[in-house]
Amino acid sequence: MATKYKLTYFNGRGRAEAIRWLLVYMDEEFEDVRIDSEDWLKMKQTTPFGQLPLLEEDGKPICQSLAIVRYLAKKAGLAGNNDWEDLQLDIVSDTLVDLRTPAGAFVRETNEDLKKAKKETYIKETLPFYMKKLDSIVGENGGYLANKKLSWVDFVFTATLVEFLNQHLGIPDVTANYPHLHALTEKVRAIPQIKTWIENRPKTTF
């Protein structure tokens, strides 16, 4: 009997998009539930930690976006083949969190002067520091972020981080000046299942 998946998130890409990409990569049908703020207030207390996304597998709830991604990646054949390879994936994943966290800080900042200053620092210092290093890593790993093969961190980078930064930095493509990263995102988006999903997914503001 086929596994039943139900993914609940807001009507946007955000932290759920890499999960959606993994599910479509696996050719798994899933219920893509998109809720508004009113619905969220009603269901928040029913979730494990009051957070989304929430994936239900045959009715069993799974929380924390990266934990969900790692879980599905093992099923999809996109995890490491041993502890060392998994370590390399976790190192990259944690680095992507380090890159995203300060961006989230200026996005949430309500003081406009502080917001502008934080954003400027991010664009001039934080972003190039990490992107240069990640670009070199991809160049040394045969076009991927780890282990010289396609993995879940490539999905997280492309589906979650790049789309988030493009939106909030007002930059058409944050990978434009980093050839290895740019080629990686193009390669991931060209995977047939992912390409079809991108072409047909709901148009959202985030």
Side-chain angles (χ1 to χ4, degrees):
M1 186 175 180
T3 303
K4 292 183 179 180
Y5 290 103
K6 176 181 177 181
L7 178 64
T8 302
Y9 193 61
F10 305 105
N11 186 29
R13 300 179 301 277
R15 296 181 183 277
E17 196 64 7
I19 298 169
R20 296 184 183 115
W21 286 22
L22 280 167
L23 288 168
V24 299
Y25 178 81
M26 295 161 63
D27 294 320
E28 290 283 358
E29 293 186 6
F30 66 100
E31 188 178 353
D32 187 23
V33 179
R34 294 165 183 255
I35 65 173
D36 58 24
S37 56
E38 186 176 335
D39 292 329
W40 173 232
L41 289 175
K42 294 176 182 176
M43 73 169 291
K44 185 174 183 178
Q45 297 303 318
T46 69
T47 62
F49 291 99
Q51 295 177 333
L52 293 178
L54 180 71
L55 180 68
E56 294 174 64
E57 183 184 71
D58 290 333
K60 295 177 290 186
I62 311 169
C63 63
Q64 295 293 346
S65 58
L66 286 178
I68 297 169
V69 165
R70 287 187 179 94
Y71 176 68
L72 293 177
K74 292 177 182 178
K75 293 174 176 286
L78 294 175
N81 289 332
N82 51 54
D83 290 343
W84 180 256
E85 289 193 358
D86 281 331
L87 173 62
Q88 306 314 305
L89 296 173
D90 287 339
I91 289 171
V92 172
S93 176
D94 287 353
T95 301
L96 297 183
V97 171
D98 289 343
L99 176 54
R100 180 184 170 118
T101 299
F106 77 70
V107 168
R108 293 187 297 271
E109 179 59 61
T110 56
N111 182 298
E112 288 303 317
D113 290 335
L114 282 176
K115 186 184 189 80
K116 183 178 179 180
K118 288 180 179 180
K119 183 175 181 179
E120 184 175 345
T121 298
Y122 186 86
I123 292 174
K124 291 183 177 180
E125 299 177 15
T126 308
L127 185 64
F129 172 81
Y130 282 102
M131 294 294 275
K132 287 177 183 177
K133 289 183 177 295
L134 291 169
D135 194 63
S136 295
I137 288 171
V138 174
E140 295 165 359
N141 273 278
Y144 300 100
L145 278 165
N147 303 322
K148 297 185 178 181
K149 59 186 177 183
L150 182 69
S151 70
W152 60 268
V153 292
D154 301 315
F155 280 48
V156 170
F157 177 75
T158 306
T160 303
L161 186 66
V162 170
E163 295 203 353
F164 175 81
L165 294 178
N166 286 347
Q167 175 192 358
H168 291 290
L169 296 181
I171 298 173
D173 182 7
V174 293
T175 69
N177 296 323
Y178 307 96
H180 298 301
L181 289 174
H182 183 74
L184 170 62
T185 60
E186 292 296 299
K187 185 160 41 183
V188 173
R189 290 180 180 132
I191 295 170
Q193 302 96 311
I194 305 302
K195 184 174 184 293
T196 298
W197 171 260
I198 292 173
E199 290 171 349
N200 295 282
R201 67 185 175 184
K203 306 300 181 186
T204 58
T205 57
F206 70 94

